[in-house]
Amino acid sequence: MNPHTLRTLLEGLAVGRVTVDHVLTRLETLPFESLDFACVDHHRALRCGFPEVIFGQGKTPDQVEGIFARLAAGGGNVLATRVTPDAAERVQARFPKADYHATARVLTLRQHGPPTTVSGLIAVVCAGSADLPVAEEARLTAEIMDQPTRGIYDVGVAGLHRLLARSADLRAARVVVVVAGMEGALPSVVGGLVRAPVIAVPTSIGYGASFHGLAALLTMLNSCAAGVSVVNIDNGFGAGYQAALINSLAASAPPTPSAATPATEQTDDAG
């Protein structure tokens, strides 16, 4: 249940459109619903602004379908990551409007459209095509959270001119997610070009001494560029979620009073 759904339910009760029993039925699974294999957190959208996200890795198709169905019943958008094709097929048979993004292994169900007043932009920058699954996981996460995104892909430091050709797109973004494997140098370069916060995502792509992403992770943690934060290896979801929170909070923040305009007026009663 999300804030809009709860408000609509309570307003309906106030004007007599629904009964107390109906409201009690809708609220009986708050704050969570216990299944045989999971406790589904229906209260998370009210606390955090977005419903619980399903981590599909290690779950059976039955489990993914069961949790997905209970979250969908709450009326909000649903996101599942690391979903196998078999699990996605099971969910789509029950929810034909659900979309499976095979590259990212992400399953989404949009039950309400994004607000028309969304501002700001999240740029998702990808070093190479091998990093696309993680980059797309980040982009799709931000998009289902109602934030506009722009993909800037295959612009790694081995061909720096490709990145510099997209400088205007980078500077137009309010938040930048940078995904890279190998030595993981790209976030530092981007951090030196933009004034927006940069969220770096190391990937497990690389040859033997990359240690499945550890080399890229350490490079990003030791970045000399200010404004760079780092999430875990291959965690495109975490980066996309963080970027969406930053962009949405910045859009909803009240304008800062101008330095030339005092916040309060003072009157001189002397004389």
Side-chain angles (χ1 to χ4, degrees):
M1 179 170 291
N2 55 55
H4 174 73
T5 303
L6 181 58
R7 178 180 291 274
T8 301
L9 185 63
L10 295 178
E11 287 176 346
L13 178 63
V15 300
R17 197 163 50 240
V18 296
T19 65
V20 172
D21 287 341
H22 175 78
V23 173
L24 286 174
T25 300
R26 292 294 306 275
L27 297 179
E28 66 184 4
T29 57
L30 289 179
F32 67 90
E33 179 181 4
S34 182
L35 307 179
D36 290 339
F37 50 86
C39 290
V40 182
D41 185 356
H42 291 298
H43 200 263
R44 193 168 303 185
L46 294 173
R47 298 195 317 271
C48 304
F50 191 77
E52 181 177 11
V53 176
I54 304 166
F55 183 66
Q57 185 173 321
K59 292 183 175 66
T60 67
D62 282 344
Q63 290 171 338
V64 173
E65 180 192 2
I67 299 171
F68 199 98
R70 299 316 306 151
L71 289 171
N77 295 335
V78 186
L79 169 65
T81 66
R82 308 298 169 94
V83 177
T84 65
D86 288 344
E89 186 177 352
R90 287 286 298 273
V91 172
Q92 288 181 302
R94 187 166 177 178
F95 299 94
K97 292 184 178 180
D99 293 317
Y100 183 56
H101 311 269
T103 298
R105 295 181 293 163
V106 164
L107 187 64
T108 58
L109 175 65
R110 181 170 285 281
Q111 300 195 101
H112 59 79
T116 57
T117 57
V118 174
S119 64
L121 177 71
I122 297 171
V124 180
V125 183
C126 176
S129 299
D131 303 310
L132 271 174
V134 178
E136 279 291 278
E137 184 180 75
R139 186 185 66 81
L140 292 164
T141 296
E143 285 199 346
I144 197 65
M145 294 178 70
D146 296 333
Q147 302 306 308
T149 66
R150 177 177 296 158
I152 303 175
Y153 292 164
D154 197 21
V155 291
V157 297
L160 198 57
H161 56 290
R162 299 173 299 177
L163 178 68
L164 298 178
R166 304 295 300 272
S167 294
D169 290 330
L170 290 172
R171 290 194 296 268
R174 182 178 283 158
V175 191
V176 184
V177 175
V178 184
V179 182
M182 298 288 188
E183 84 286 11
L186 186 59
S188 290
V189 176
V190 173
L193 296 175
V194 301
R195 62 185 299 175
V198 174
I199 304 171
V201 190
T203 74
S204 53
I205 298 300
Y207 294 109
S210 69
F211 298 107
H212 303 287
L214 181 60
L217 172 64
L218 293 175
T219 297
M220 294 175 186
L221 288 172
N222 286 282
S223 174
C224 62
V228 176
S229 61
V230 188
V231 299
N232 208 346
I233 298 169
D234 291 336
N235 189 10
F237 160 73
Y241 198 105
Q242 182 181 349
L245 291 178
I246 293 172
N247 195 57
S248 62
L249 288 173
S252 62
T256 303
S258 170
T261 304
T264 59
E265 293 186 0
Q266 295 181 349
T267 58
D268 187 358
D269 295 329

